[in-house]
Amino acid sequence: MTVQTTAWIGLGANLGERAAALRSALTGLGALPGTRVLRVSSLYRSAPVDAGGPDYLNAVAEVSTFLTPQALLEALQTLEQAAGRERPYRNAPRTLDLDILFYGDVSLESAGLTLPHPRLHERAFVLLPLAELAPERVAPEWLAGVAGQAIERWGGADWGNILV
């Protein structure tokens, strides 16, 4: 473990019981060693970007964690696997997708992890929920760049109140 850091995690699912998978992911996030869910955005419904399949449900969680970026990534991948996530090809439909969007102010580029998330500025399903929690982290030009993407608020922030 390292120093306590605030991180923002993107949550998404487009297969199975999507809302239940996201609630379960929040429970799993809160159960990670040295990690606490601080806040959760509203729930959004969006069409897949660069992929096929059913619409996604997405949200962003703000967490406080003592886990290192790599340890957090490994824990998120374990939660995905527990939810039945398979990776048959890039951008395949998924039962659960968890991405580290920001880990404090850390910039990192390794074989398995890039921080901040390299494509977050291209995706409305990340930017809109992130802007609810951390508007200072979302550049106005990013929002303008995704204005044409199909997305709608599907539920208020109370959907995730099981932890906050």
Side-chain angles (χ1 to χ4, degrees):
M1 293 210 191
T2 184
V3 299
Q4 187 173 18
T5 303
T6 300
W8 289 267
I9 310 298
L11 298 91
N14 75 332
L15 294 177
E17 295 294 327
R18 302 168 301 168
L22 298 183
R23 282 188 193 97
S24 180
L26 285 177
T27 300
L29 282 171
L32 295 177
T35 302
R36 185 168 55 98
V37 176
L38 302 174
R39 297 186 297 158
V40 182
S41 74
S42 299
L43 204 56
Y44 289 82
R45 185 174 63 111
S46 64
V49 175
D50 298 329
D55 284 352
Y56 275 86
L57 289 184
N58 294 97
V60 169
E62 180 180 351
V63 302
S64 174
T65 188
F66 284 96
L67 295 174
T68 65
Q70 187 61 41
L72 181 58
L73 175 65
E74 290 169 8
L76 297 180
Q77 290 173 339
T78 298
L79 291 174
E80 289 176 340
Q81 288 174 337
R85 167 88 186 254
E86 296 178 0
R87 297 174 189 264
Y89 54 90
R90 183 176 168 86
N91 295 329
R94 49 203 72 164
T95 54
L96 184 62
D97 186 30
L98 301 171
D99 292 316
I100 304 171
L101 305 175
F102 288 102
Y103 182 91
D105 292 321
V106 170
S107 291
L108 173 72
E109 194 163 334
S110 68
L113 179 60
T114 301
L115 294 171
H117 191 286
R119 291 174 304 282
L120 72 92
H121 65 284
E122 301 170 355
R123 297 172 170 171
F125 64 81
V126 170
L127 294 177
L128 271 64
L130 179 61
E132 285 184 32
L133 302 179
E136 71 282 359
R137 293 200 172 257
V138 179
E141 59 270 19
W142 294 353
L143 289 172
V146 299
Q149 292 180 17
I151 185 168
E152 67 178 323
R153 185 176 283 165
W154 198 73
D158 60 339
W159 76 271
N161 276 346
I162 56 173
L163 294 175
V164 277

